[in-house]
Amino acid sequence: MGIAVQSLSKSFGDHQVLRDISFSINKGETTVLLGSSGAGKSTLLRMLNLLESPDQGTLNIANMEFTFHKGQKPSPSSASAKACQLRRKVGMVFQQYHLWPHMTVLANLMEAPVQQGISKAEARDKAIGLLERMGLPDKANAWPSSLSGGQQQRVAIARALMLSPEVLLFDEPTAALDPAITNQVVEIINELQASGITMVVVTHEVDFARKIASRVVYLENGEIVEEGTAERFTAPQTSAFKSYLQH
Ligand SMILES: Nc1ncnc2c1ncn2[C@@H]1O[C@H](COP(=O)(O)OP(=O)(O)OP(=O)(O)O)[C@@H](O)[C@H]1O
Ligand SMILES: [Mg+2]
């Protein structure tokens, strides 16, 4: 199983930002989350690795299950041991890369695995291998600030892959990149999909979404309006998604 969410809801104060969200994704699929600004895409993505706690609902991901009940203190909380275990299996890549500026590329990649007890030699070998896979074999000793945006994003993807996650979450990974560089990210995501990793990608860019998606979830105002396979791009079944695709 990949990911299944059942009746997830979330409010910030009086503002309900996600309402009764249910969907499931098979292992190895790439799902894009689309919707206009404020629809709740990032909040939903962050819930998938419990950076945000749902108010209620059930989350199944990476063979772990989390249930939340309204009115109860979030349990497990985002800081619980179980949530930490989840985040080792569910990696995340952000629009702004979030590399540590005071560490070289290699040190950025080695940090988390070494913290978790993997030997430095093993972490280094894995890091070098991933940098090669990302087309950055000569950047191991570079500082993040000396890299282009596209290179930094590939380092961020390599870093997320260091823990061999079962699921990789991306929040607008190409929003800061120009179109040619976006295609490098497309190639990487498609290669990762071929290797069996389950991915969920938030994006505003419909062209990018079409190139990577095997499934699509379209949100409006915190609710799923349309959800299905990538065929929905050519045959949308709601007028709302159809009109979203046209602008
Ligand atoms: N920590 C928070 N506290 C209060 N409100 C929040 C918080 N995080 C998100 N929101 C609100 O929840 C709604 C959904 O936000 P979210 O960031 O999930 O939208 P989004 O679809 O990712 O938008 P964008 O495309 O602009 O990134 C917005 O109205 C936002 O203001
Ligand atoms: Mg967002």
Side-chain angles (χ1 to χ4, degrees), residues 41-42 171-172 202:
K41 305 178 297 296
S42 296
D171 197 350
E172 304 204 29
V202 168

Side-chain angles (χ1 to χ4, degrees), residues 37-70:
S37 185
K41 305 178 297 296
S42 296
T43 305
L44 178 55
L45 193 76
R46 290 161 57 79
M47 277 184 186
L48 298 180
N49 70 353
L50 298 182
L51 287 176
E52 210 73 80
S53 286
D55 297 333
Q56 59 180 12
T58 304
L59 166 65
N60 282 279
I61 188 165
N63 296 310
M64 301 179 78
E65 181 168 291
F66 300 85
T67 303
F68 302 85
H69 297 285
K70 204 169 183 76

